[in-house]
Structure formats: C-alpha cells, structure tokens
Amino acid sequence: MMRAEEIMTKDVVSISGSATIAEAVKLMKDKGLRALIVDRRSDSDPYGIVTETDIVYKVAAFGHDPKKMRVYEIMTKPCVVVNPDLGVEYVARLFANTRIRRAPVVKGELLGVISISDILNKSDFVEKPKSAFELYCEENPDALEARIYED
Amino acid sequence: MLKARDIMTTSVVTISGSATVAEAVKLMKDKGLRALVVDRRSDSDPYGIVSETDIVYKVAAFGHDPKKMRVYEIMTKPCVVVNPDLGIEYVARLFANTRIRRAPVIEGKLLGIISISDILNKGDFVEKPKQLYLEDRIEAAREDARSICAEKGATSPECAAAWDVVEELQALAADRRQAKEDTRDVSNSLKDYCAENPDALECRIYDD
C-alpha cells in the first residue's frame, strides 16, 4: 500500500496567523498554492491551515477588505494532521469522513501537505483498488480471515 | 465589477455519464483538471459535474474499483450553473452559500467553468473589495465605529463621525425598504380598492 509520505507535496509554505489576507493571497498566487500552513507560536501550539476556500467563502463573498482582515480570523486551527506512514486509502477515508480536501503531514515536524489532488494524480487507487477487507488482511496477515487456501 | 466570463476557464472537458471512473481519472490527469462536465443527453437534460472530490470521497475512500464504477454513480446532477454576466462577488457569495467550489458557466450553451481558484487568482477582490449589500456595509461601518470609539474615546469627534456613517447607511436602507413596499403588489391591491372607493372606511387618511 502506498503511504502519505510517498505522494505528499513537500514544498510547504507557512504564514503567520497575524498576517493580512492580502499577504496570504499574494503568497498563494506567487507560489501557485491552494493552501498555506499557519505558523505555530510554540512547540505545544497546534497546526493551522488557511485555504483558498476559506478566503473566497469568508472574505471575497462578503466584500470584506483583505488588507484589513487577518489570517487568524478565517483559518482552521487546530486542523486535522496526517501521519506520513498512513496508507493512501486511509487518507482518502479520513478526508471523506471529515469533509476536508487537504491536511499537513506531520511527524515531529512538518513534512509536507497531502491533498485530494495528490491522491488522484499520484496514488495507485485506479490500478490497485483495495477494499477495507483487503486492507485489513494486508495489515494482519496472520488473522484467520486472511488465510489463503491453496488448492 | 468583473464578471464570471472575465475570469472563467474556457477549456472545458466533458465526459459521458456512462464512462467509467477510471476513464474520468485518466482524462483529468491528462488534461490537468479537477473536474469534468457531464454531457447532457438532450437539450432539456440538466448539466452535471464530477470533481476530484467526488472520486476521492466516493471511490478511493472505499477501495471501490474505478474500472467498475461509472461517472453517473458519483456525479452531481443537476448542478449549480452560473450566468456569464454574474459579478464575481456574487459568484463567491453563491459558492459560499451552496458550499461548492466550481460551477459550469452557461448561457444557451456551455461557455466555461469557474472555480474558487479563478476567483482567487484572477479576481480583483484584494485590490477592490466590494460590499454587495447595504446590510454588509452597515455591519462593516458598525464595526469600524466600535473600534474607532474604543481607540479615540466615546466622546471624541471621530467616534461621533463614525456613528453618523452608520446612521446614514441605516437611513438609506430604510428608504429603500419603503420604496420597495410602495411598489409591492399587496399594497397596490388596497390602493386600487381605495382609488375606486375613496369613501370606504379602510381608505381614510389621518392627518396629524
């Protein structure tokens, strides 16, 4: 099974929660990104994320001035984070259950960001679809249900 | 105001509803797209859309075989469509209210597709933020007034001027409400009745 680490995007750009939305938009345009990770203030602070959806839904849709609003007003923090060893099928299931489209990949430190585009474009779910049962058997090869009978 | 047609993506790829999800994924990868518009079967058939979110949430997340599932099983149809002349602030408001991220742009035929990325990258909401509704402007003015009064003091001239702005906007909103009521059909029926029966009890006008 492919893991989050193998398909995540490693160029991550972070921004301060006190930056203005206008600064965030400029950064996203310059780097061609759909989301930025919000800097942690300390090691015990959770990760946050601000996406283009947040900006369009909460700023552009109301005609608020992006130069006067700040990232912390619209960001999602704490946000769902993904372990780099998590299987891609489980990332897809997690995203579907929580209705999110991207999440930072974290283990000790920030390693990357994984999105539904990464799953669609880089994973092998078309060539090798795996059912929950197959995933279970792969993880527990000794389980009774996972026995393979040879004729 | 920029319109949907000014910022939409005009290269749209369509797919048949009976195509397999594997074919849709291949098409999206090849063309670098996040969504495909689903072909209409006839001119009276509504437009549909299938996005990468549909594929990941409904196929990949359950380990279903994309070669055995079809687009019609996971697509959104009918989908929200946008008129090319709609201002992009209204597109943003529509997307926020309906919780969608992209929609086909239609006028007679399919002209393009507009997404939140188009709004972010090609819109002018950073340079020229526009408040669509008077209620939004009142709310913004009220917030401004509160922060100015907190900073400069409740008795400062700046504070009084800021609340004047709020009051003017509220007066404008009240005027517009009145104008709307004057032209409404409900009150017109009473007016018509009174025009015909000026002596009726209901039609008396009290002078102060």
Side-chain angles (χ1 to χ4, degrees):
Chain A
M1 182 172 28
M2 290 184 86
R3 292 170 303 123
E5 198 171 37
E6 297 170 59
I7 64 162
M8 69 184 184
T9 303
K10 293 196 184 75
D11 324 319
V12 192
V13 175
S14 59
I15 191 167
S16 158
S18 58
T20 65
I21 306 297
E23 287 164 346
V25 172
K26 183 167 185 307
L27 202 55
M28 287 162 95
K29 279 190 191 176
D30 288 351
K31 309 268 181 180
L33 295 170
R34 289 158 194 279
L36 303 169
I37 302 299
V38 181
D39 288 333
R40 295 195 297 168
R41 284 175 312 223
S42 69
D43 282 350
S44 61
D45 202 34
Y47 283 94
I49 194 166
V50 62
T51 67
E52 54 180 9
T53 304
D54 293 324
I55 294 173
V56 172
Y57 280 14
K58 300 172 192 168
V59 183
F62 293 92
H64 294 314
D65 188 345
K67 292 184 283 296
K68 286 186 189 159
M69 279 186 79
R70 306 211 172 246
V71 170
Y72 68 79
E73 296 177 72
I74 63 162
M75 68 184 177
T76 302
K77 176 176 172 178
C79 65
V80 172
V81 301
V82 167
N83 186 295
D85 298 320
L86 192 64
V88 169
E89 286 80 5
Y90 287 120
V91 177
R93 183 74 69 100
L94 175 72
F95 281 14
N97 287 344
T98 52
R99 312 293 300 173
I100 58 172
R101 284 163 184 79
R102 71 191 72 235
V105 180
V106 176
K107 193 177 201 180
E109 45 163 356
L110 180 64
L111 302 174
V113 168
I114 186 166
S115 73
I116 51 166
S117 305
D118 295 323
I119 298 175
L120 196 87
N121 291 307
K122 302 182 213 159
S123 89
D124 57 356
F125 79 97
V126 176
E127 296 77 26
K128 295 185 202 158
K130 286 196 192 64
S131 66
F133 177 67
E134 284 167 308
L135 287 173
Y136 169 78
C137 293
E138 216 171 83
E139 272 171 31
N140 305 284
D142 298 329
L144 277 182
E145 294 82 356
R147 280 173 304 182
I148 294 170
Y149 297 97
E150 284 175 53
D151 298 326
Chain B
M1 193 189 264
L2 276 175
K3 294 181 176 158
R5 75 163 84 238
D6 300 325
I7 64 161
M8 69 185 183
T9 304
T10 47
S11 55
V12 194
V13 176
T14 61
I15 191 165
S16 157
S18 58
T20 65
V21 174
E23 288 165 345
V25 172
K26 182 166 186 311
L27 202 54
M28 287 162 95
K29 279 188 190 178
D30 288 350
K31 309 268 182 183
L33 295 170
R34 289 158 192 279
L36 303 169
V37 173
V38 181
D39 286 335
R40 296 193 299 166
R41 284 177 311 225
S42 69
D43 280 353
S44 62
D45 202 36
Y47 283 94
I49 195 166
V50 61
S51 69
E52 55 178 10
T53 304
D54 294 323
I55 295 172
V56 171
Y57 280 12
K58 299 172 193 168
V59 183
F62 295 93
H64 294 316
D65 187 347
K67 292 185 283 297
K68 289 185 190 155
M69 281 187 78
R70 311 242 165 212
V71 169
Y72 69 78
E73 296 177 74
I74 61 165
M75 69 185 176
T76 303
K77 175 176 173 176
C79 65
V80 172
V81 302
V82 167
N83 186 292
D85 293 320
L86 193 63
I88 63 163
E89 285 77 14
Y90 288 109
V91 177
R93 182 72 68 107
L94 176 72
F95 281 13
N97 287 344
T98 51
R99 311 295 297 176
I100 59 172
R101 285 163 183 81
R102 61 178 40 80
V105 180
I106 313 266
E107 191 170 49
K109 60 187 169 87
L110 179 64
L111 300 176
I113 199 159
I114 187 167
S115 72
I116 51 167
S117 305
D118 295 324
I119 298 175
L120 195 86
N121 292 309
K122 304 180 213 158
D124 59 353
F125 73 96
V126 175
E127 297 78 26
K128 294 184 206 155
K130 283 175 213 76
Q131 314 248 263
L132 295 180
Y133 303 114
L134 208 45
E135 285 72 18
D136 291 342
R137 288 168 59 195
I138 295 172
E139 191 48 44
R142 205 179 278 139
E143 273 169 31
D144 270 356
R146 282 198 193 110
S147 66
I148 287 170
C149 295
E151 193 187 321
K152 306 266 181 183
T155 54
S156 65
E158 289 90 344
C159 175
W163 281 111
D164 278 346
V165 174
V166 177
E167 229 166 84
E168 269 169 39
L169 288 169
Q170 281 172 333
L172 186 58
D175 279 351
R176 286 197 191 164
R177 264 198 301 276
Q178 189 60 47
K180 217 183 258 174
E181 261 164 34
D182 287 347
T183 56
R184 269 219 313 250
D185 287 340
V186 196
S187 47
N188 273 355
S189 55
L190 178 65
K191 272 189 203 153
D192 291 346
Y193 171 77
C194 292
E196 282 167 27
N197 307 285
D199 300 327
L201 276 181
E202 292 80 0
C203 301
R204 280 174 305 182
I205 293 167
Y206 298 98
D207 289 303
D208 295 325

